[in-house]
Amino acid sequence: MKKFIDDVSLLDLIPFNFKNDEDTLNVLKSINYMLKNFIQNIPEVILFDRIDELEEWKIDELALDLHVDYYKSDLQIQQKKELLKTSLITHRTKGTPFAVEKITSILFGNGEVKEWFEFGGNPGEFKVTTQGELETIEDYYKVIEAINEYKNVRSWLKAISFERKSKDQLHYGTVSVIRNKVILI
């Protein structure tokens, strides 16, 4: 019994009344040859499930084929792979806080979106908080470009906050007065 698809030949499946017809045999042989070549190249065709194994030039080509909304050739290879893996879901959810959070998390580290009602802003405004490392003004413009690509068109970016973890031991506190009660945090 044959176990693999490349072990099967169309000549094995031919009905008995065509086994002596030379024209039919020649047609089936040529089709069989083309199918064998196609089957051998299947691992090269199915790329989406093997993104982590692909070379960078194949990732760039796949991003072009999938029309990834924000994709730059100067991104790190791991960021490119993550953009490809999430391209379908971020494209479907484009214009939502989820898509903005997802893209900022991939590109800049742990993105978080706060809508206007969460921070007391005007309707349609939102803020983005990320842990991204910005070294130049171009990096800042990349953040803005990525957010503008995935945000809702009628929403306005109010602020971007970049959180930094400090190695120093700093102690801080706040004092709030609510109805004559002092709360120390």
Side-chain angles (χ1 to χ4, degrees):
M1 178 167 183
K2 299 184 181 197
K3 295 184 179 184
F4 299 106
I5 192 169
D6 53 347
D7 293 337
V8 176
S9 171
L10 290 178
L11 298 173
D12 297 336
L13 305 174
I14 189 170
F16 71 93
N17 56 339
F18 287 108
K19 290 208 184 235
N20 294 329
D21 184 12
E22 197 158 322
D23 290 336
T24 304
L25 288 174
N26 288 334
V27 168
L28 288 177
K29 284 179 185 177
S30 62
I31 293 173
N32 198 45
Y33 175 77
M34 292 181 348
L35 283 174
K36 293 272 186 200
N37 285 338
F38 177 76
I39 290 169
Q40 288 174 352
N41 291 321
I42 284 178
E44 292 298 319
V45 174
I46 302 173
L47 297 175
F48 202 70
D49 64 335
R50 300 182 310 115
I51 289 175
D52 290 327
E53 303 167 15
L54 296 178
E55 301 167 20
E56 189 167 3
W57 71 270
K58 288 183 182 179
I59 291 171
D60 292 338
E61 289 294 322
L62 190 56
L64 186 63
D65 289 344
L66 291 175
H67 304 288
V68 177
D69 295 313
Y70 181 83
Y71 190 87
K72 303 290 180 193
S73 59
D74 62 341
L75 293 173
Q76 297 172 5
I77 185 80
Q78 193 57 37
Q79 290 174 325
K80 290 179 178 183
K81 289 177 182 180
E82 288 300 316
L83 285 172
L84 280 176
K85 289 176 187 177
T86 60
S87 64
L88 296 176
I89 189 72
T90 52
H91 191 73
R92 286 184 192 143
T93 59
K94 195 173 180 181
T96 66
F98 172 80
V100 175
E101 282 181 0
K102 196 71 169 159
I103 196 72
T104 54
S105 294
I106 292 170
L107 298 176
F108 313 109
N110 295 339
E112 182 184 353
V113 175
K114 291 193 178 195
E115 296 278 349
W116 63 274
F117 51 85
E118 295 175 310
F119 65 88
N122 295 325
E125 294 178 337
F126 68 99
K127 292 181 179 182
V128 175
T129 304
T130 182
Q131 294 176 352
E133 296 290 329
L134 298 181
E135 297 175 3
T136 63
I137 192 69
E138 286 82 22
D139 292 340
Y140 174 74
Y141 288 128
K142 283 181 187 177
V143 174
I144 300 294
E145 185 181 0
I147 291 171
N148 284 335
E149 186 67 39
Y150 286 91
K151 76 173 186 68
N152 190 323
V153 228
R154 64 181 179 268
S155 298
W156 294 91
L157 179 61
K158 175 87 171 169
I160 302 175
S161 301
F162 296 93
E163 293 180 352
R164 302 285 190 261
K165 302 269 184 198
S166 177
K167 295 176 184 171
D168 299 333
Q169 290 186 353
L170 299 175
H171 302 283
Y172 64 93
T174 61
V175 176
S176 300
V177 178
I178 301 173
R179 294 189 182 178
N180 298 329
K181 289 184 180 179
V182 178
I183 301 170
L184 178 62
I185 300 175

